[in-house]
Amino acid sequence: MNDLRPLETELLAAVANATDEPALEAVRVAALGRNGSISALLKTLGTMSAEARKEQGPRINGLKDRVTAAIAARRDALKELALDQRLNTETLDVTLPVPEPPAEVGRVHPISQVVDELTAIFADMGFAVAEGPDIETDDYNFTKLNFAEGHPARDMHDTFYFNPKPDGSRLLLRTHTSPVQIRTMLAQKPPIRVIIPGRTYRSDSDQTHTPMFHQVEGLVIDKSSHLGHLKWILQEFCKAFFEVDQVKMRFRPSFFPFTEPSLEVDIQCRRDKGETRFGEGDDWMEILGCGMVHPNVLRNCGLDPDEYQGFAWGLGIDRIAMLKYGMPDLRPFFEADVRWLSHYGFRPLDFPTLAGGLSG
Ligand code: DAH
């Protein structure tokens, strides 16, 4: 009978010399695969006499077992070697800063923050939030607000108009949030107590004006609200918004077509080295317009001015955001620069609340 030892020596050497798993697999296939050398030997058993098989069977199977075991052992060793190699080459610097999760990196835009602050303050006083479309009719933006056709106050609004329709009427980008007063009065019965934050548009651009800007309107309509209530609301608002205990306000006569009387409001401030502080000093800054809703406006909304009365105000959100958070230029508000936003933006999970603090 032929000697199996040279084959065994050769196979075991090949197993020992396999330096990676694919090489080891090639050795296994060459020995134990369908056409492998050991498989060929096993096939010869069938052709043998019972006698010869009794002798050769254990020898060939013994060879098969030893080679199988050697391959398994080598495979384990190679796996361990590969792991060692990976551990030696892969390094992890545990002193590196942990990357921040998205909720930590993202920032809330100052305008959104200020709208949330306003909403928290007025909600506490019982105001609901109303909204209207950015694209308005001339009727709601002007006529129903008592701007007569051809009235010079219309020209002061630097309106963006759309192309005229066949009937000659023109839609426009609303120049103020006041048309939502009309929409609100047409849609619901008094008592009305709403604030209306939103985008507004005028053809104007410099350090403190952008063609798109934001206003918040206030509207109160019932049977007995008067200027004293308006004054109190605005005073409470300014104290809460600027987070000061005291704020002096000055009400000056003014003109708006949709209010009578009309007033402009200044608040006390101190201007110091380019900074503006509120609740102290002897300087004044204009922050809003307001007044008693004009009887014509009430009539235009189907309300009887002998029965109903109320007041309204409008103020620039961007402007009070700049004042509160010390931002000198309005234009970067709308440039979508993440560096600016990460500097001036607010942490997303710090919701402004009156109890928890508005500006965190
Ligand atoms: N709509 C005015 C503007 O944009 C602001 C304003 C003034 C609104 C007085 C009012 C108000 O509701 O009563 O210039």
Side-chain angles (χ1 to χ4, degrees):
M1 187 63 228
N2 61 355
D3 187 356
L4 295 179
R5 273 173 304 178
L7 178 60
E8 179 162 352
T9 313
E10 185 199 324
L11 287 176
L12 292 181
V15 169
N17 288 335
T19 50
D20 56 22
E21 290 203 54
L24 184 62
E25 178 62 8
V27 175
R28 188 193 68 76
V29 171
L32 301 162
R34 200 141 48 90
N35 299 317
S37 47
I38 296 179
S39 308
L41 284 172
L42 285 168
K43 274 180 210 152
T44 63
L45 286 175
T47 63
M48 290 178 194
S49 63
E51 197 90 329
R53 194 181 308 132
K54 213 175 198 177
E55 194 193 326
Q56 292 302 322
R59 289 180 66 211
I60 299 174
N61 276 310
L63 169 65
K64 180 187 169 194
D65 291 348
R66 286 188 296 281
V67 170
T68 305
I71 290 174
R74 183 69 186 148
R75 180 163 288 135
D76 287 348
L78 285 175
K79 274 206 178 109
E80 213 158 298
L81 208 71
L83 182 63
D84 277 349
Q85 245 164 18
R86 234 182 99 195
L87 289 175
N88 284 336
T89 50
E90 266 183 9
T91 53
L92 183 66
D93 184 351
V94 291
T95 65
L96 281 176
V98 180
E100 287 180 297
E104 290 298 316
V105 189
R107 287 292 177 268
V108 172
H109 194 283
I111 296 295
S112 307
Q113 167 78 13
V114 166
V115 169
D116 288 348
E117 293 181 20
L118 294 168
T119 309
I121 296 169
F122 285 113
D124 190 54
M125 294 193 236
F127 282 78
V129 173
E131 286 180 314
D134 292 13
I135 297 175
E136 258 305 355
T137 60
D138 188 277
D139 187 40
Y140 283 4
N141 196 80
F142 291 126
T143 312
K144 283 204 166 41
L145 284 164
N146 201 35
F147 287 78
E149 297 284 346
H151 191 288
R154 287 187 180 225
D155 302 335
M156 288 167 59
H157 276 222
D158 302 312
T159 312
F160 287 115
Y161 284 101
F162 288 80
N163 290 334
K165 294 202 249 187
D167 67 3
S169 66
R170 285 187 297 179
L171 289 173
L172 48 80
L173 289 176
R174 67 181 179 191
T175 58
H176 49 178
T177 40
S178 304
V180 190
Q181 286 190 31
I182 304 295
R183 290 178 175 275
T184 306
M185 285 188 273
L186 288 173
Q188 66 190 74
K189 283 248 147 302
I192 291 171
R193 200 181 289 168
V194 291
I195 58 159
I196 304 151
R199 277 192 274 270
T200 47
Y201 306 83
R202 289 186 201 182
S203 176
D204 205 355
S205 184
D206 60 32
Q207 194 176 337
T208 53
H209 296 88
T210 48
M212 188 278 296
F213 57 107
H214 299 81
Q215 289 189 337
V216 61
E217 191 90 7
L219 177 69
V220 171
I221 302 287
D222 54 27
K223 294 187 174 174
S224 58
S225 282
H226 55 70
L227 278 183
H229 298 137
L230 170 65
K231 249 178 112 167
W232 179 85
I233 287 174
L234 294 177
Q235 225 145 23
E236 288 306 302
F237 164 70
C238 284
K239 283 197 294 188
F241 181 74
F242 291 111
E243 299 176 66
V244 292
D245 294 333
Q246 277 307 320
V247 60
K248 282 208 192 103
M249 302 176 83
R250 197 166 69 169
F251 290 76
R252 285 181 289 105
S254 182
F255 172 79
F256 301 104
F258 37 89
T259 44
E260 179 58 37
S262 302
L263 309 146
E264 263 170 349
V265 182
D266 304 331
I267 66 170
Q268 174 197 29
C269 66
R270 178 197 302 287
R271 288 176 227 249
D272 200 9
K273 298 187 202 97
E275 247 192 58
T276 310
R277 303 197 149 280
F278 296 94
E280 54 185 86
D282 44 21
D283 226 340
W284 297 98
M285 176 170 300
E286 184 198 318
I287 60 156
L288 62 88
C290 61
M292 296 302 292
V293 176
H294 197 292
N296 287 349
V297 174
L298 293 171
R299 249 179 240 118
N300 291 340
C301 297
L303 297 174
D304 178 358
D306 291 329
E307 189 179 359
Y308 293 109
Q309 61 185 36
F311 49 81
W313 71 89
L315 77 101
I317 292 179
D318 318 78
R319 190 169 151 76
I320 60 167
M322 289 169 76
L323 290 173
K324 179 166 179 180
Y325 293 112
M327 303 159 183
D329 193 333
L330 181 58
R331 288 165 297 192
F333 273 62
F334 310 117
E335 281 168 3
D337 182 338
V338 280
R339 292 165 304 175
W340 183 87
L341 192 58
S342 66
H343 180 74
Y344 283 113
F346 293 82
R347 305 178 79 82
L349 298 176
D350 289 345
F351 305 111
T353 62
L354 293 184
L358 286 180
S359 53

